[in-house]
Each structure stands twice: as structure tokens, then as C-alpha cells.
Amino acid sequence: MSLWRDIKGTLQPFWVTLCNMMRRPVTVQYPEQKQQMAQRYRGRLMLTRDPEGHERCVACHLCSAACPVDCISMQAAEGDDGRRHAAWFRINFTRCIFCGLCTEACPTLAIQVTGEFELAGRDPLKLVWEKDDLLVDHGGHTPDYNFYRQSGVGVAAPRGGLPTETAPVDPKDLMP
Amino acid sequence: MVNLTIDGKQVTVSKTATIYEAACEAGVHIPVLCYAKKLMPYGACRVCLVEVEQMKGRLIPACTTPVTEGMVVTSTSDEIVKVRKTVLEFLLVNHVVDCPVCDKGGECDLQDLTYEYEVVSNRFEGEKFDLPTDEVNPLIERNMNRCVLCGKCARVCDEIVGYGSYSFINRGFETKIATAFDRGLNCEFCGQCVSMCPVGAILPRPFKFKARPWQLKEIDSVCGYCGNGCTVTLGTKDNKVETIRFNDKTGVNDGNLCVRGRFGYSFINSEDRLTKPLIRENGSLVETSWDKALARVADGLKQSGSETGIVTGARLTNEELFLLRNVAKALGSENIDHSGGECYKGLTEGLQQTLGLQASTATFPQVENCDAILSIRSDFYETHPVFGMVVNQAVRRNDAKLTVIADKRGKFTKLPEAKTLLHKPGLEVNLINAMCRVLLDEGLAKTERLSGVDELKAALADYAPETVAETTGVSVDAIRTAARELAAAENAAILLAYGLPYTAASKELGIAAANLSLLTGIAGRTGSGLYVCGEKNNSQGAIDLAVMPGATGLGAQQMLSAAAQGQLKALYVVGEDMVSSYPDRKAVELALDKVPFLVVQDLFLSPTAQMADVVLPAASFAEKDGTFTNAERRIQRVRAAVPSPGDARTDFNILSDVLSAFGAQAPATAAEAFAQLTADTAAYQGISLDMLGAQGYVWGTDILTPITRNLVAVAGSKPLDAAHQLLVGSALYHSGTMSTHAKGPMAVVSEPYIEFGREDAKALNVAEGDLVKLSADGEIIEAKAKVDNRLPQGVLFAPYHFSALGLNKIYRGQPAIAVQVGK
């Protein structure tokens, strides 16, 4: 019986190889070729803006409180118009584990994940990103959400039912 | 006592307790929003609803319902949870839920309850308010859109503070908390409302967006301003004091604070703090190293030896004062004194001669249960605001009869039913003498065990109420009633504050107050007390530790005159700005100019420090460990919360170094120093640091029994004959000169002022904000005028805290200064 097993064991790998030779390759020639990441891929973090172009982040500290590795720090400050914003905002990507808990905690949908994952470098300090590095000029996957228009506008469920209100955003929703 | 069952737990509480208090006792958690331990039950929020078996299953509020025998209470059931959830939904109908930008987020009662009861949706719809926020004042920010109408702010302002800033206005859904005429807040800015607000409707503006509560480190310490000794819980972040946290579990103040305690912390982080020792070279002060500065100090003091004078402020810890005394010993000098040397004599000589004591006879919390209270000077509230709040509670809750012997009206005179004996300036002793006379004449005096009764009777011959009424301008009936009420009361208190602006006749006033306390039996009686309270945080400690001239030593004033005559070789000034605050600035400046070697140890480069040969940068109360003794003899622990800026060192370390420079043995730590000082001080015998619990430790027990009961006759004074008389005193927003470096108090009262009564202002054609000049004895001071209705005609007032005013150029320790008003 062991002879039959040996023959099978010799031929089967060739068969597997033969099958895969006919398939399209799954690997890409990184870094010459770059792969399109999945929509819900959790890569580097960014700070988005509201539809009016203002920073969404109100420096509420919830992301830094939710962060399991304490890689987010910030200082809140009062703007000229009385708005709360981050005087500085810092993410240490050498510590970040890309768990995405910060994005779940964020009440203003300011901090969001991108598909970007290329964060290797020689100098770890270059991976400490400041607010200017993190800020983007769009609203990420929730382009219409505006905290200052939603806040306090209506908690009565379902939210956004009143004529002056905009439709509610599901903060758990990650679909683009 | 009443027995009841809460959630199956048997609990025995007093019959005045509510179900909520009983539940707390039993360790059963009942949620509350509008309840506060120190306020009267109110029942506004309906979150604490519970079920009581005997009440037909009806839901009743736990915080307002008193317990009855055999009650069976259920604190949680499906129905109760449903109802509480509904109540929260109601509250959230109008609430703006802007938690991300609200500083209360993380310690908000509404947030916690919403989370606890999983209120994720709301079945009710309603309008969200868009009320403008009150950001007019720099200290308290109000956003009424977040308000849940618990009424705590209105109640604390009325019940505890007695100011009454807030009230509910409008009705129904439109109801909101507002000030009179719905204008911006303009009050004492004690911030009690801030500490009470369960949501983010009232917030401290200096702390706006500074930090989240979970980022703050909390350190319990004792306030470094007045002799009240309130616990302040410093909220620190990144080695900076960011805010004062609410804490009603520690200390004597029940979580109450005044504007100085709550908003006066910023001097700790001030940019103007001294960070390096300075030494005078070629006529100007230059930065140097500690080694050089200390060597210079040691050299200078060694040369002067027993001809050194040491003057301190009463802001140091007991341990530091102890070391300072050791420095004096090491130098062989008996010239050591504090706080100007005169103002405390009411206590050290007045009470010593009469009662044989040098301290207040009872503790502050007892005053709440007094039936009659006599406050000598209305300024007592200004110097000891939180103790003043206790007086307010006594008046409002227990109908205590408050009499104020005052030369001007103030907070106390406005309290309900308060009787004011408004007299001409400087005649307090006359009035007290007249009250003693009434007691003796009418046989109300408790003269058993007292000595000197006949002598006093003889000496009081000139103080018949009728005569005194004529000189002082107070009605005879008022004097009689005040004396009778004080004698008739079961529990009574006499309050007297002392401090640098109250130097005049301090000894006489102390004796007079002690006489009155003996004749009424207040001194040493349980529940009653004579309170002679120091202006500074450790005034009592300085007296307990005998930081006073020795038998052959010179007091502060004598030191200054000796220095002016060139008889003092060196002066070591620790934590005191003599130039700004001591009476008679010219004399002080002359003395400091003449003294060959002047060392100043302070936080700031004060006018005194600018004259020094060596300036040593010291640490504030938030940077050191040690103990303070407050005006009721309570020894409490001070804890270091932040490091000192730059090279600044604690007074303890500096004094240790000075001591070692003389080859004397200095205790290594504050704890060691405390052990040594308790062994060395009679009243502190046997007290160890472990005994200073959350409430501190009151030396000599709550009631201090007088050792002697001597009545000593004191003469009153004659009224000053001048058309305009200037009174010197304390303003509520400031304490000493230190608070003028703190942003909070400075935001409210930022510059010196001269206060006029309305009649005078009209007659002199002075309007609020006008620049006025006061001249006396060839000196002129100038400041903006403030006009209100506190002062009787012919009387002006100026606070002494501001160095820039130069008030002490004309103030030389008189009870009132005759001035000419000009523009």
C-alpha cells in the first residue's frame, strides 16, 4: 500500500503545479505594480473635512481614549469663532496597530482610515504625523456629514425627520 | 433611628434621613441629577424614583421622601428602569447633545445616566433651543442649551453663597435658568454653580477646552490664600495646574470655594515667577547660581548674627516656619516676626490676657447650628468667604440671628434679618464695651468663675449704651437687642478677622471680643465659639509655632525702625511683600534701603524683592509638602502637585540649606520636621502625620476651654473728625498681594479702586470710573472711583492688595484716614 501512496504523493504536487500554471497570478509585482486595496481595508489614518471645508475634528479626545496603544495625542483649543478644534493633533504611526477603534469612537467622523499602507521608513520619528500631514481636503467616505449641523438638531428618533434636518449618518457604517 | 429595608438590605438611619441617604448608607446605588449632599432636597429631575411597598406601589422620589419605620424600598425593577429611561428621554428632548465639544464630557451626570440606562433613541420630539451662551464674564461660561433644570446652581447660590444670582424664568418648555433681567452673569464669581452643575451648562471658562477629566491627575491640597483652610483638589496635567476639581469629601469646606480658591490658581503657572536666584552686583540684580546665592546669604547672615531680623508672611507651611525659627536660633537672634507684627496681637496678647489662649475656641462647622452670631466688621466675609457661607447657612436654614458691627455695609449686612450696627469708623471697641455694659447692667452676664468683673464694671462707666450710641451713631435699642440676643442664645458665635489692613487697635478689639465672649459664656461652651481668624492661610500656624519676637527680640515694626536707624545689620524677608502691604510704605522703604544686607525669598520679584541684595526664588503651596493650620486650629496636609518652575526651590529646601551653612542640623524631610515641631510645640504634642485624616486634625479638640477667665477693661476710641474718612480693608476677590498675580481674581478686579457711597459720589460729582485723588499728610494716591451703596456718608474705602495704588503711603495703621478728595 505504501507504494501506491508514494506514487500518488509524487504525482499530486505536479498536478497542483500544473493547475496553477494555467491560472492568472494573484501576486503583483510590488512595488512596481500596486494593488487596489479593499474598500474596508484599514490603513493609515486621516483627518477629513466637513462639506464646508472646515476641519471636522473637535479635539474631543475620544479617539485617544479609545486607542489601545495610546498613539493619538492632541490639544484642544478655542477658535476665533468659539469653535473647538485641535491646536495640534499627532498620531504616532510607529505605535499604531491599525485597529480602527479611533474611527469607531469619533463622534464627528473626522478620523477615518485610508487604504494606504506604505509606512515603512528609516527614521521612526518621521512616522509621527502632525495635523497638517493628516488633514485631507475631502470628507472621506461620509462627504455630507457636518457635526455642527447635526449636533443638537434632533435626537428624537428617527433623526433627521424634521424639515430643517439632514438625514442621519450611521457612524457604524463603513461602506463607501 | 428608623429601620427600613432597601433591596432586601436592612438599614438603620436617623429619622430625618431621606430614602436616598438611607440607600447611600446601605450601599445601594440610586441615580440622581438634582440631588446634592449640601443642598436641601428638591426633587426636580425625577431620576431617583423608587418603589415603596407601603405606598401602593406608586413611584416616589427617593431624594425628597423621608424614611419611615419598616419601609420596604425597591430601588430597581423593570418598571423603575423603564420610568427612569423615560425621564432621561424627556431630559434629552431639549438637550443639545454636543458632548464632543462640551468640557463636561467624561464626567457628565446626564451622559453617565444615558449610558447606564442605554437611552439610544428618543420617542419624543421637541424643539432644541438655540439660546445665546453667556460669555460676558471671564470666569463662568453658561450655555443654557445644555441645562437640565435641576436648579442646583440657583439653590447653591441662594442656600450656600447667599448671593442669589440665578433663578428659573419663563414657564413650561421655555423654562430656563437666568440672572436678573436675563443679562450676563455679574456676581461674586465663587463658581459654586460651576461645581454643582451636573451637565455642561455652567463651566469654568479658564479651563475651557484645556483637558478631559480622565487626563487630569487630582491632588488634594489646602488653599494658599486665606485662613479658612479649604481643601482644593488640584487638577494637573503635564505638570501644570489646569483647574480646581470639586471635592466635598475632604476638608472642612464641603466642596465650597470662593473666587480666589476656585479661580486664583493661575499664579502657580505664572510667567512672572522667579526661576533663578538673583544677586545684586554693581547696583542691579543679576541671575546667579544657587551655590553663589546661598554662599552670599550665609556670609551676610553670619556677619550680622544676632543683629539679623527675620520677617515672614504667614503663607509658609508649619514645617518651613519651624525651620525659619531654627534659622533664627542658629543666628542667635530673637528678632523674628510675621504679618507686620501688629495685626495678630488681638490673638496673641488680647486673647492671651483674657482667655489664656491664642486661638479660636471652636470649629467652623459648629457655626451652622448657632442661634446668634455677632460679626465684628462686615469684612469678615471678604477675608474668609467660605466661613461666611457657613454663616449664611446658619441664617437661612436655622434662623440664626446675625448682628454685624460694621463701619460699612457688606455681604453679611444683606443676609435675611441681619441687624447692622453701622457705626462711625474705628469705634468697634466702644460698641462691644456698650454691649458688655448692657449684659452687666441687665444681669444677663454669666459672671460666675470670671475675674475682673468689678474692674470691668467700673471701667465701663463711660460706655452706657446711650453715650456710645451718641458717639458711634448706632441706636440704643440696636445695641441692647444685640447684647440680649447674644446672651440668650444657646449656641452663639463671635467672629473677628485680623490681617494687615486691620492693624488698628487689634489688641483692644481682641480683648473686647474676649470680654464679650466671657460675659455671654460663649468662650469654651459646647456649640459656641469665639473665632479670631487670621487673614493668611497659615496665620494660626505662625502663632502656634511662636514665629514672634522672643523676650528680648524686636517685632516687625521695631525691626523696621531699628533698620531705619542703622541698628539692624541684616533683614531676611520670607514670603512677604512688605513694601506693598505693610503700613507706612515710606518707613518700610527707608528701613529696607538702610539695612546693610537684605535677603528676600519670594515667588515674584515684588517691590520688596527689587530692593534686596539677594533674591531667592521660592515655591508656591502647590509645589510643596507640609501642613497648614487654619483659623479654627485644623492642621491639614498640603501636597506637592507640580514641580517648581526653573530653579525655584521650596522654602523648606532653601531654609535647610541656610541651616546647614551654619552647621546646624536640619530635618531631611517635611515629615521629619513635622515630628520635630509637634514635639517642640505644646499644643501640637502627640500629633502625628497619620492623625491628619481627610478632615485634618483640630488641635486642642473641637472646643478649646479657656485657661483663664479674666475680664480686662479696654478703652474705646474717639471718632475721627474729618469730612471724608478712608477705610482700608480686603476685597473679596483678593487675598494679600499674592492674588494680584493670579489671572482669575485679576479678571474680576484688575486694578485698585477707591469706593464711594452714592451720596458722597453725588456730592463730590464723582462717577464710576473717574480718576480720583486722595490726599492725606502731603501724600497723594490716585485710582479709579467705584460707586455703590455700601458706604455711609463721608466714608470711603480702598482695598490694600494693589502695590500700584500705594495705599500704604497714607495708611499707617490708623483705623480710618482723614483724606481730601480731589480729581
Side-chain angles (χ1 to χ4, degrees), chain A residues 60-61 78 84 151-152 156-157, chain B residues 96 122 124 128 208 212 215:
Chain A
C60 71
H61 283 92
E78 192 178 8
R84 186 176 168 129
S151 159
Chain B
V96 285
N122 201 334
F124 310 102
K128 296 284 177 188
K208 191 171 187 182
R212 286 292 179 195
Q215 297 176 307

Side-chain angles (χ1 to χ4, degrees), chain B residues 460-471:
Chain B
L460 291 181
D462 297 338
Y463 293 95
E466 291 76 14
T467 332
V468 172
E470 205 168 301
T471 37

